[in-house]
Amino acid sequence: SQHIGAPCVPKVKPRQALAMGELIADSEVPVSAPIHASVTGVAGPATVTVLPNGRRSPAIPIVPAAEGAVPADFLERFLKPAVGSIDPADYEPDQIRQAVRAAGIVGLGGAAFPTHIKLASNPDRPVNEFILNGAECEPYLTADHRLMLEATEAVVVGFQLAARAAGARRLIIAIEENKADAIEAIRLVAAPRGIEVAVCATKYPMGGERQLIPAVLGKVVPSVPRIPLSIGVAVTNVATAHAIARAVVEGAPLTHRVVTVSGGGVVRPGNWLTPFG
């Protein structure tokens, strides 16, 4: 279970050789997301692990290969997927949603809700504005900031693909004012594509969608139902958009994310590309 929704069923057996990115668990329940091997190695016997929230969950251990558990050029390919010549209009909405589902993408802003569900268009609840959340959730985080700088085009293209799948009419990228370099980098890529960039105050907790939406649009998400879609708004995270670009354009599953490790007690603070699991 690496998402909100139904847990997956193992698709591999103990001692089975696994390639990085290979499907290892899935579910037929609609609100779920498949899980892929985040390293090349060998599957171990099924076990139970304790999640950060204290819940116990079935798990598939993988013993990483002694060499080549992760390709040497993976970081470069992760940051620079081949999106340069991509026109999001060439992809059908259902094609985008299917690729997102197959890649196991979930919301990387913290909720871990299966993204293909969020991108399902609904004529009864059309998406008027789609916001890309470029505000970090916590003051010390810089993971999304670095992605906006180092994978700018992939972030913007992924956002366009998400918006096309959801049928959004207006696209806005919201970034806190203390990220001047990210604002400049995103504007250079977004402006020619007709995407707005909104600069928000650096004010905690701007990363929460219930705070971001009023700051950008002047709209308030009601308490019931407590979802932005009730007012015609959708929000997605920078890392999620980046993952969507990789999934749709290259068929890359979600196996890693950038994680900030920081604070006064950390000897080597930084942003680390980290495998799931």
Side-chain angles (χ1 to χ4, degrees):
S1 180
Q2 293 181 172
H3 52 269
I4 288 178
C8 291
V9 177
K11 300 294 183 182
V12 297
K13 298 178 180 179
R15 296 187 294 279
Q16 179 175 333
L18 299 173
M20 178 177 155
E22 185 174 344
L23 178 72
I24 60 174
D26 201 353
S27 171
E28 295 182 0
V29 177
V31 183
S32 185
I35 297 171
H36 303 79
S38 53
V39 293
T40 292
V42 177
T47 185
V48 174
T49 189
V50 179
L51 302 179
N53 62 7
R55 289 175 50 205
R56 298 173 69 83
S57 173
I60 301 171
I62 301 176
V63 180
E67 295 183 7
V70 177
D73 64 343
F74 181 66
L75 175 59
E76 180 181 355
R77 290 192 287 114
F78 179 88
L79 292 174
K80 304 296 180 185
V83 300
S85 59
I86 295 303
D87 183 353
D90 291 339
Y91 294 84
E92 294 299 322
D94 193 53
Q95 179 185 5
I96 296 169
R97 288 190 290 269
Q98 288 180 10
V100 168
R101 201 274 171 194
I105 296 176
V106 301
L108 296 175
F113 184 80
T115 301
H116 68 280
I117 302 293
K118 177 181 280 191
L119 299 184
S121 58
N122 183 347
D124 295 329
R125 282 186 173 180
V127 178
N128 298 314
E129 295 100 359
F130 204 138
I131 299 175
L132 181 64
N133 188 347
E136 302 282 6
C137 296
E138 300 292 337
Y140 285 93
L141 298 185
T142 54
D144 288 350
H145 187 172
R146 295 311 308 179
L147 267 181
M148 287 188 285
L149 288 175
E150 300 185 45
T152 313
E153 195 165 34
V155 168
V156 173
V157 169
F159 179 44
Q160 286 185 288
L161 289 165
R164 176 158 174 74
R169 302 171 186 174
R170 181 185 177 193
L171 282 64
I172 307 166
I173 300 177
I175 308 173
E176 289 171 303
E177 61 187 357
N178 66 343
K179 300 171 178 56
D181 49 0
I183 293 169
E184 181 180 1
I186 290 290
R187 272 184 174 152
L188 287 174
V189 178
R193 299 169 184 262
I195 302 173
E196 302 172 48
V197 175
V199 179
C200 304
T202 306
K203 185 178 180 180
Y204 182 81
M206 189 61 74
E209 62 184 18
R210 289 174 64 83
Q211 288 72 41
L212 187 68
I213 291 170
V216 174
L217 299 174
K219 297 182 178 181
V220 177
V221 180
S223 298
V224 180
R226 195 172 177 172
I227 56 173
L229 197 56
S230 64
I231 56 171
V233 180
V235 181
T236 196
N237 167 265
V238 163
T240 310
H242 176 262
I244 290 171
R246 296 184 66 240
V248 175
V249 177
E250 297 187 339
L254 185 66
T255 61
H256 289 66
R257 72 155 297 153
V258 181
V259 177
T260 300
V261 181
S262 188
V266 178
V267 175
R268 293 180 62 199
N271 289 297
W272 308 92
L273 183 59
T274 309
F276 291 122

